[in-house]
Amino acid sequence: MASTHQIVTANRLRDGAVVYLTADGRWSETLACGALAEDKATAADLLAQAERSVTDRLVVGPYAFPVALAPEGPQPTQKREQIRAAGPTVHPQFGRDTGIARAAR
Amino acid sequence: MYRYDEFDHTLVAERVAQFRDQVNRRVAGALTEDEFKPLRLMNGLYLQLHAYMLRVAIPYGVLSATQMRRLAHIARTYDKGYGHFTTRQNIQYNWPNLEDVPDILEELAEVEMHAIQTSGNCIRNVTADQFAGVAADEFDDPRVYAEIIRQWSTLHPEFSFLPRKFKIAITGAPNDRAAVKVHDIGLRMVAGPDGAPGFEVIVGGGQGRTPMIGYVVRDYLPVPQLLAYLEAVLRVYNQLGRRDNLYKARIKILVHETGREEFTRLVEEEFAAMAGENPPALPGGELARIRAYFQPPAYADLPASTPELDLALAGNRTFARWVKTAVAEHKQPGYAIVTISLKPIGGIPGDASADEMDAVADLAERFGFGEIRVTHEQNLVLPDVPRQDLFALWQSLDAAGLATANVGLVSDIIACPGLDYCNLANARSIPIAQEISQRFADLDRQHDIGDLKVKISGCINACGHHHVGHIGILGVDRKGVEYYQVTLGGDATENAALGDITGPSFSGEAITDAVETIIATYIGHREDGERFLDTYRRIGMKPFKEALYAAH
Ligand code: SF4
């Protein structure tokens, strides 16, 4: 069954880096640190919080995306988010070791 | 070669200062992202999947060694040590920090470069034949006119807010290397009834969602009328172009909906009306001033061949094979045009490391007059290499890892950044290019297959020119999974054609096999001397379709 879990992501204003909203309202480059929204209402709350970070000029363009739960942590279900999480698949040296790099290949 | 004049100096300096201020205001909170986004786009700065991307203009693909070194320096200092040459003859940096961008722009301005008109609904950086000014088959040097158009269109008040972006390409040779028939306006230099140079004007070509081959609206336009006529075309477009629908806003839709005859009539009417209101005719003095920028360098009287070159060609098969693909005929006897492949086997098409850029800059000085060209096929060109130095150049290129003998062959693939970088992508392009390149790594096999243009785009925007690839590959998204649609028979040259779709798309795992099947089908059917495209045109889609989908 398709998972309904979501994580909120954005790009950091200063360098455009992919970041994830954590449970305590910080932003992390590591997907696994992202707060997991189990339902729509929680996702909406996280997004509202993310919008405050937009106002605070920390991030740009926040949105929520679906993840599937796996033993090694949440995994994006869409290719685009897998690549955002891991870095370009063609430049592994610039990627992040999230365990997703391999999955995205 | 091109130097930017006083006008550009002031303009660019102002723009850099202005953008620095805008970035500061953005970071300080005085500008919201909605306010800032159009401003950064006007300076070539996009936000992509992983980072900002800065697109730097290389007017009609011409660079000096000094400029190339600066591009290398920027790659090293502000990026991750590389840059990506695009199908628009530009360079893109994939990882700049927002606050570094004003510094980068300042560094670019020092070598007379900028990122203006690389984004937005304006007249974009004019593209031209990469062999302009040196090609043996050339009728007139298109850089002169590309530069005139560039100066005229830069921040032209009337044409800064067009219904959509607008791309002009120009060639001075009968063999079209600039894909002029798939641009908003394509200009092909031709001789008039009295032998004087002029232009065939083609309007309404384009790729993207609705690919179209442009129509010839004027068989011959005398040179002095160039800007007036372009202005007439743009005015008709500005008035009638669809601003209500993003997908219908390009001039190609207007031209094709209006019909060639009616559109031509409207342009000619506008053009005639302008004759009364002081059209911007090209004064002879201005033409001469700009032509002076492009005076041929001081060519020496050199032999077409030397005993040493003949010996190397006869004795070194790898070198001879490289010459066969990389060297094109120069108009000056004793010189050659050399294309440097940026498509090493398994590499990323169009990527160049800072070290490679520096190496090319050095070679441009050692084996030429310090000039480099960027091709829309994502390769580089040394335009003025003495033929007697070809072997030495090849050795140096080989040492730098830049001597792949595959220009024009199956592994000389155009690929857009695709889903590895691009925010608009549906699927990845680069890994597909890499896999095809690796599958056909054997150069003997590539040379046996012969001329073949494989072009890959990661979405329907077609930055990878797939519509005009002999084999075109388009990434599509099928329920979150990458799939690839294949077209055959596209052609970007003077015989421009759009490819035909083979049928259902292929998965990422199956696409390289599909390409191999297509090539095997061609080999099986080809007659003596036939290129892939010739065979396809002769036998049509059916045999390819049968081979591709037989098992299904
Ligand atoms: S074709 Fe699409 S995916 Fe490729 S660079 Fe252009 S917009 Fe991005």
Side-chain angles (χ1 to χ4, degrees), chain B residues 416-418 422 424-425 457-459 461-463:
Chain B
C416 78
C422 178
L424 303 172
S457 305
C459 81
N461 287 327
C463 304

Side-chain angles (χ1 to χ4, degrees), chain B residues 168-425:
Chain B
I168 302 176
I170 179 166
T171 177
N175 295 303
D176 178 9
R177 290 171 287 261
V180 302
K181 290 193 173 169
V182 285
H183 281 75
D184 295 292
I185 295 182
L187 297 169
R188 215 157 66 92
M189 300 214 62
V190 290
D194 54 356
F199 307 92
E200 179 185 71
V201 183
I202 301 154
V203 181
Q207 303 197 51
R209 184 175 300 270
T210 322
M212 286 173 179
I213 304 292
Y215 288 136
V216 175
V217 297
R218 231 339 160 95
D219 293 321
Y220 175 72
L221 178 75
V223 160
Q225 296 174 7
L226 174 64
L227 295 185
Y229 200 83
L230 293 182
E231 200 147 328
V233 172
L234 277 150
R235 282 190 181 177
V236 171
Y237 173 50
N238 223 357
Q239 279 161 25
L240 303 179
R242 297 274 301 262
R243 290 174 190 267
D244 58 322
N245 182 336
L246 186 67
Y247 298 128
K248 296 197 168 176
R250 294 291 287 268
I251 195 173
K252 62 190 172 189
I253 306 288
L254 176 67
V255 174
H256 290 257
E257 280 182 355
T258 315
R260 174 190 185 160
E261 269 177 33
E262 176 62 7
F263 182 83
T264 306
R265 192 190 63 76
L266 289 168
V267 171
E268 293 292 340
E269 196 178 273
E270 180 69 37
F271 183 60
M274 285 166 65
E277 65 165 91
N278 230 349
L282 283 180
E286 181 63 6
L287 196 59
R289 183 179 74 84
I290 292 190
R291 193 175 282 280
Y293 289 170
F294 300 101
Q295 278 311 300
Y299 291 119
D301 201 1
L302 297 176
S305 160
T306 61
E308 293 77 12
L309 177 62
D310 291 345
L311 183 70
L313 282 170
N316 187 324
R317 193 158 159 267
T318 319
F319 169 63
R321 203 155 53 179
W322 174 81
V323 168
K324 202 172 149 211
T325 54
V327 175
E329 211 183 324
H330 202 289
K331 69 177 181 194
Q332 180 73 21
Y335 286 81
I337 307 169
V338 171
T339 302
I340 300 172
S341 169
L342 289 183
K343 320 288 174 65
I345 298 303
I348 297 176
D351 269 20
S353 69
D355 290 347
E356 286 169 340
M357 291 185 224
D358 277 338
V360 171
D362 291 349
L363 295 174
E365 282 170 345
R366 230 175 102 201
F367 300 105
F369 301 93
E371 195 179 311
I372 299 147
R373 309 287 179 82
V374 181
T375 82
H376 85 269
E377 294 182 318
Q378 301 179 286
N379 291 316
L380 299 175
V381 168
L382 299 184
D384 299 300
V385 179
R387 290 188 60 86
Q388 61 190 15
D389 293 338
L390 282 171
F391 189 66
L393 169 64
W394 172 75
Q395 286 178 308
S396 303
L397 285 171
D398 197 33
L402 290 167
T404 314
N406 64 347
V407 172
L409 304 180
V410 55
S411 64
D412 183 8
I413 300 171
I414 290 184
C416 78
L419 191 54
D420 280 299
Y421 293 97
C422 178
N423 224 340
L424 303 172

Side-chain angles (χ1 to χ4, degrees), chain B residues 116-133:
Chain B
I116 298 170
Q117 282 175 293
T118 61
S119 172
N121 294 338
C122 60
I123 301 174
R124 299 286 187 90
N125 186 19
V126 179
T127 51
D129 181 358
Q130 68 269 19
F131 295 168

Side-chain angles (χ1 to χ4, degrees), chain B residues 20 24 26 40 51 77 85 103 123-124 139 142 200 214 233 315 355 372 427 432 472 491:
Chain B
R20 188 179 294 283
N24 288 342
R26 173 71 184 110
R40 67 166 158 76
T77 314
F85 290 99
D103 293 340
I123 301 174
R124 299 286 187 90
F139 174 66
E200 179 185 71
V233 172
D355 290 347
I372 299 147
I432 304 303
D491 183 359

Side-chain angles (χ1 to χ4, degrees), chain A residues 8-14 19-22 24-28 45-62, chain B residues 26-27 29 33:
Chain A
V8 169
T9 183
N11 289 82
R12 195 157 55 205
L13 174 66
R14 282 178 183 255
V19 285
Y20 302 96
L21 183 63
T22 67
D24 60 1
R26 290 180 294 171
W27 290 91
S28 166
D45 285 349
L46 288 175
L47 274 174
Q49 193 169 0
E51 284 301 335
R52 287 196 286 281
S53 298
V54 172
T55 313
D56 292 341
R57 308 178 308 277
L58 292 175
V59 299
V60 176
Chain B
R26 173 71 184 110
V27 173
E33 185 61 18

Side-chain angles (χ1 to χ4, degrees), chain A residues 10-18 54-61 63 77-91 93-96 103-105, chain B residues 25-31 33 36 40 47-52 80-82 95-99 348 351 419-425 428 430-431 434 480-482:
Chain A
N11 289 82
R12 195 157 55 205
L13 174 66
R14 282 178 183 255
D15 58 3
V18 175
V54 172
T55 313
D56 292 341
R57 308 178 308 277
L58 292 175
V59 299
V60 176
Y63 60 92
T77 55
Q78 300 153 336
K79 187 56 101 186
R80 173 190 157 92
E81 292 307 327
Q82 290 166 9
I83 293 173
R84 281 182 82 249
T89 63
V90 295
H91 267 134
Q93 70 274 35
F94 306 144
R96 271 166 282 165
R105 290 191 159 256
Chain B
R25 280 158 61 210
R26 173 71 184 110
V27 173
L31 289 175
E33 185 61 18
F36 180 63
R40 67 166 158 76
L47 182 53
Q48 296 287 34
L49 287 184
H50 314 282
Y52 290 97
K80 297 193 188 229
Y82 71 105
W95 305 93
N97 285 341
L98 177 59
E99 285 162 291
I348 297 176
D351 269 20
L419 191 54
D420 280 299
Y421 293 97
C422 178
N423 224 340
L424 303 172
R428 285 174 294 167
I430 298 168
Q434 291 175 306
V481 181
E482 298 163 294

